[in-house]
Amino acid sequence: MTDGDSRGAAERPPLNDTQRRIVDAALEADAGLFVQASVPGSGKTYASGRLCAEFLLRRAAAGVDRPAAGLAVVAFNRDAAAKLQPEVTDWLRQLVADGTTPAARRVADRTHDVSRLVGGFRRSETVGTVDALLARVFRDIASELGFDDPTVDSDHAVDRLHGDAFEAVCADTDLVAEIERLDEAYPSDDDSDEASLAGDRVANILRTVTETARDHGWTPAEVRERLHESRQAFYPDGPPSSLADVADDARQFAGDGAGVSTTEKWGGEEIVAADRALHDAWAARIDDLVAVYRSYVAAYDRLCRERGIVSHADCAHWIGRYFGDLACPHRCADDAVPHSVVARRRNRLRDRWQSRIDLLVIDEAQDISTVQHDALARLVTDDTRVVLYGDPFQSIYTWRDARPSSFADAITDGVYFGREWNTHVVETAQTTYRQRPALTDTVDAVFGPALDDPGRGDAPSLDVDYASLSPDRDAVADPRLHLATYRPSRADDDEHRAEVLAEYLRGALEENVFDDGNGDGPTDTGGSRQPPIRVLFRKGSSMDAVHGALTDRGLTVGSAVPVFDQPLAQTVVS
């Protein structure tokens, strides 16, 4: 049993006790927050699929005309979302075929209901990625915000929007001085990869500020406050008045061994004066940047409306603002349309979505960003059932503003979506169905200390404890690592080595060389899907030749990936 288990419905084992308790609690409650904190390979998607299937069957058995209309089940990325649908549909067929629950038996008596359930679930607009769900909600409110049939997340078009927004602020005569000072402080470098599409580092900074502020839901005033907090962190005691002050500030970031040395050109007074000037100039440039940013973000939003283009982050931003901020710009917000009319429209659209979601299931909840969290919060009420599956230690999307701290708060305090839930159930799934004991011991040995270390994983800041892995699979005597050798020939080039490797793998698969005696080899006599083979190469120059030789022999080949570029490898090395 693993996340995304691909076995047929007839082979699906029951849930373990931990998984079952969360499913039962969510199904029996009228509302509440239900959290399964899961280690890697614990069957999160497998369990959430069972939950959704039982929810649909109960609604169908109760005579609800469109059972899927009350369910929203989402994951952070496309790969995770793609696994959700087959899990739910396989569970539906399994439960009805076996008559596992009273609801399943009632539906089994009306055979057409199974295909209707499956079809209705597959067509649901509230099943998929978080971004897809929010894009659907945004399209419902877009006209209220002044958008006409917008297109979501056209990368090239969004790039153009930012470039044109920068040109617009450069044309603003009231901002000439601010832009000149910023350009002097952050000069462009045409040879730098950091240069923006507009060829100006200031443009790149403005885009970064806009996207970061949108991800966090910050106003321009809050952007200014955050930037000044960053500056103050470098100068906790204010501007330096002595060389010792400069050294103290440096030690915060360079360690206790840091110091400041004078030279013939730079004496103590000159160094202190330069650092004081930096302290003051930094504050002035922050104010310049925020002034330009206000105009930039206004130009960006205007261009988005004019061209009908938004990013996924824009969708989440506008949902949060429209439903949560009565001062949010509205197409009809003028004297000709009473405020009460605008408010009624807003409330009707919010109620429409809130009434559609009785059960909200979020897979990999630790990867939900701040702006996504705040947008989803507008779609639920105190009467909603919210089920979270995830692991605060598996968050790999912090570069996209993932906030595992929100998931940690749901675990420890029962707080999520800005409310403290009266019904709060938490289970920790420590059994992994993916790894054997040798690997789980290694993972615990590496990640336990690393995640608990304040300078690395900083788990204590999440107020949750690292959960050691408990493997379901037995240990095996032989390692799952195979080393193959061959005798080089005179024709030892990339093509020749690729042919030798491909022929070796073909023969090894036919002879079950990789089978460990427990049916866990890459293939079996029934042809069922098994774990893939990963082949390691010292260098990547022969990848094309290897790919061709393997596909010529009927083998399916994935993408070549540098091992040490993987986040896991970098984490272990660090």
Side-chain angles (χ1 to χ4, degrees), residues 55-56 59 64 66-72 117 120-121 124 126-127 356:
F55 174 80
L56 294 171
R59 286 171 64 86
V64 176
R66 297 174 58 232
L71 173 65
L117 268 178
F121 175 74
S124 175
T126 56
V127 176
R356 291 182 62 178

Side-chain angles (χ1 to χ4, degrees), residues 16-177:
N16 63 37
D17 291 343
T18 299
Q19 296 166 332
R20 185 73 255 174
R21 285 193 294 269
I22 283 291
V23 169
D24 287 344
L27 291 173
E28 297 300 329
D30 295 324
L33 176 65
F34 309 88
V35 186
Q36 181 178 308
S38 306
V39 300
S42 62
K44 295 186 294 292
T45 308
Y46 190 82
S48 63
R50 173 71 180 251
L51 167 63
C52 295
E54 290 199 42
F55 174 80
L56 294 171
L57 287 170
R58 290 189 179 203
R59 286 171 64 86
V64 176
D65 185 50
R66 297 174 58 232
L71 173 65
V73 51
V74 294
F76 179 76
N77 60 46
R78 290 188 181 94
D79 288 342
K83 298 174 182 177
L84 290 171
Q85 192 175 92
E87 286 291 354
V88 176
T89 55
D90 283 352
W91 271 120
L92 281 171
R93 294 190 177 96
Q94 170 85 25
L95 295 173
V96 172
D98 292 350
T100 307
T101 67
R105 289 192 291 273
R106 290 189 62 183
V107 172
D109 293 336
R110 306 189 298 265
T111 54
H112 68 287
D113 280 4
V114 180
S115 58
R116 288 182 63 239
L117 268 178
V118 171
F121 175 74
R122 285 177 170 171
R123 292 188 297 272
S124 175
E125 295 178 329
T126 56
V127 176
T129 64
V130 177
D131 280 342
L133 172 60
L134 295 180
R136 178 67 187 86
V137 177
F138 174 75
R139 291 188 181 97
D140 251 16
I141 66 173
S143 62
E144 299 291 299
L145 293 164
F147 292 88
D148 293 316
D149 193 23
T151 299
V152 179
D153 201 26
S154 173
D155 290 338
H156 178 68
V158 171
D159 290 343
R160 289 290 302 273
L161 284 173
H162 281 285
D164 291 345
F166 181 64
E167 290 185 7
V169 298
C170 288
D172 187 341
T173 56
D174 293 335
L175 295 172
V176 171

Side-chain angles (χ1 to χ4, degrees), residues 41 94 153 195 221 244 285 294 307 323 428 473 476 524 527 546 557:
Q94 170 85 25
D153 201 26
R285 295 299 77 76
R294 292 178 185 273
R307 300 177 189 179
F323 289 135
T428 300
R473 304 172 74 188
V476 294
D524 63 24
V546 171
V557 185

Side-chain angles (χ1 to χ4, degrees), residues 2 91 93 124 170 257 434 446 448 513 522 573:
T2 63
W91 271 120
R93 294 190 177 96
S124 175
C170 288
R434 185 181 296 162
V446 172
V513 169
V573 171

Side-chain angles (χ1 to χ4, degrees), residues 225-242:
E225 181 181 352
R226 297 283 181 168
L227 291 173
H228 276 295
E229 286 175 356
S230 296
R231 167 178 161 271
Q232 289 164 7
F234 277 87
Y235 296 98
D237 299 320
S241 57
S242 67

Side-chain angles (χ1 to χ4, degrees), residues 261-302:
S261 300
T262 60
T263 65
E264 183 176 343
K265 180 179 179 181
W266 288 93
E269 293 183 2
E270 288 80 8
I271 292 175
V272 172
D275 201 23
R276 289 181 64 90
L278 175 60
H279 172 275
D280 297 340
W282 193 350
R285 295 299 77 76
I286 288 174
D287 292 340
D288 286 340
L289 178 62
V290 173
V292 177
Y293 163 68
R294 292 178 185 273
S295 179
Y296 179 92
V297 74
Y300 174 79
D301 287 338
R302 173 179 55 79

Side-chain angles (χ1 to χ4, degrees), residues 157-488:
V158 171
D159 290 343
R160 289 290 302 273
L161 284 173
H162 281 285
D164 291 345
F166 181 64
E167 290 185 7
V169 298
C170 288
D172 187 341
T173 56
D174 293 335
L175 295 172
V176 171
E178 287 86 347
I179 292 175
E180 287 181 349
R181 289 193 293 265
L182 288 170
D183 191 53
E184 182 179 356
Y186 304 100
S188 299
D189 179 0
D190 292 338
D191 295 329
S192 171
D193 292 337
E194 297 178 359
S196 71
L197 292 177
D200 196 307
R201 187 167 293 172
V202 176
N204 194 41
I205 292 172
L206 286 166
R207 176 171 183 170
T208 299
V209 171
T210 300
E211 292 175 340
T212 302
R214 194 137 289 187
D215 284 339
H216 289 79
W218 294 337
T219 64
E222 289 170 325
V223 168
R224 182 181 184 278
E225 181 181 352
R226 297 283 181 168
L227 291 173
H228 276 295
E229 286 175 356
S230 296
R231 167 178 161 271
Q232 289 164 7
F234 277 87
Y235 296 98
D237 299 320
S241 57
S242 67
L243 200 60
D245 291 343
V246 176
D248 287 342
D249 292 338
R251 290 190 189 100
Q252 292 185 87
F253 307 98
D256 293 338
V260 180
S261 300
T262 60
T263 65
E264 183 176 343
K265 180 179 179 181
W266 288 93
E269 293 183 2
E270 288 80 8
I271 292 175
V272 172
D275 201 23
R276 289 181 64 90
L278 175 60
H279 172 275
D280 297 340
W282 193 350
R285 295 299 77 76
I286 288 174
D287 292 340
D288 286 340
L289 178 62
V290 173
V292 177
Y293 163 68
R294 292 178 185 273
S295 179
Y296 179 92
V297 74
Y300 174 79
D301 287 338
R302 173 179 55 79
L303 291 169
C304 285
R305 289 185 172 92
E306 290 176 359
R307 300 177 189 179
I309 297 167
V310 290
S311 68
H312 281 299
D314 293 332
C315 290
H317 161 78
W318 285 117
I319 292 168
R321 284 206 62 193
Y322 179 70
F323 289 135
D325 180 4
L326 295 180
C328 177
H330 190 281
R331 180 191 289 276
C332 299
D334 55 42
D335 294 338
V337 180
H339 176 76
S340 60
V341 174
V342 174
R344 282 199 300 272
R345 290 176 177 171
R346 194 188 308 260
N347 292 340
R348 187 175 66 251
L349 287 167
R350 183 193 61 219
D351 293 345
R352 177 193 300 173
W353 276 100
Q354 290 180 344
S355 65
R356 291 182 62 178
I357 302 176
D358 181 28
L359 174 65
L360 171 60
V361 180
I362 304 178
D363 195 16
E364 305 296 357
Q366 76 278 356
D367 288 325
I368 300 300
S369 70
T370 300
V371 71
Q372 290 174 328
H373 172 277
D374 294 348
L376 289 171
R378 311 299 178 188
L379 310 182
V380 304
T381 70
D382 291 337
D383 296 325
T384 307
R385 286 174 280 182
V386 177
V387 184
L388 308 178
Y389 289 92
D391 180 354
F393 300 111
Q394 285 193 72
S395 184
I396 60 174
Y397 287 97
T398 51
W399 59 276
R400 279 195 58 180
D401 192 42
R403 283 294 176 266
S405 57
S406 296
F407 183 61
D409 290 342
I411 296 171
T412 58
D413 302 327
V415 175
Y416 203 71
F417 289 149
R419 48 172 59 84
E420 186 173 350
W421 297 83
N422 292 327
T423 300
H424 175 221
V425 179
V426 178
E427 294 286 347
T428 300
Q430 293 182 245
T431 301
T432 177
Y433 298 88
R434 185 181 296 162
Q435 301 160 347
R436 297 188 185 278
L439 185 53
T440 60
D441 291 346
T442 301
V443 170
D444 287 341
V446 172
F447 286 97
L451 291 171
D452 286 336
D453 189 298
R456 292 179 171 82
D458 197 18
S461 67
L462 299 177
D463 197 27
V464 292
D465 297 325
Y466 174 76
S468 299
L469 303 180
S470 176
D472 179 73
R473 304 172 74 188
D474 295 329
V476 294
D478 297 325
R480 305 295 290 147
L481 177 67
H482 293 257
L483 299 177
T485 62
Y486 77 102
R487 186 182 300 277

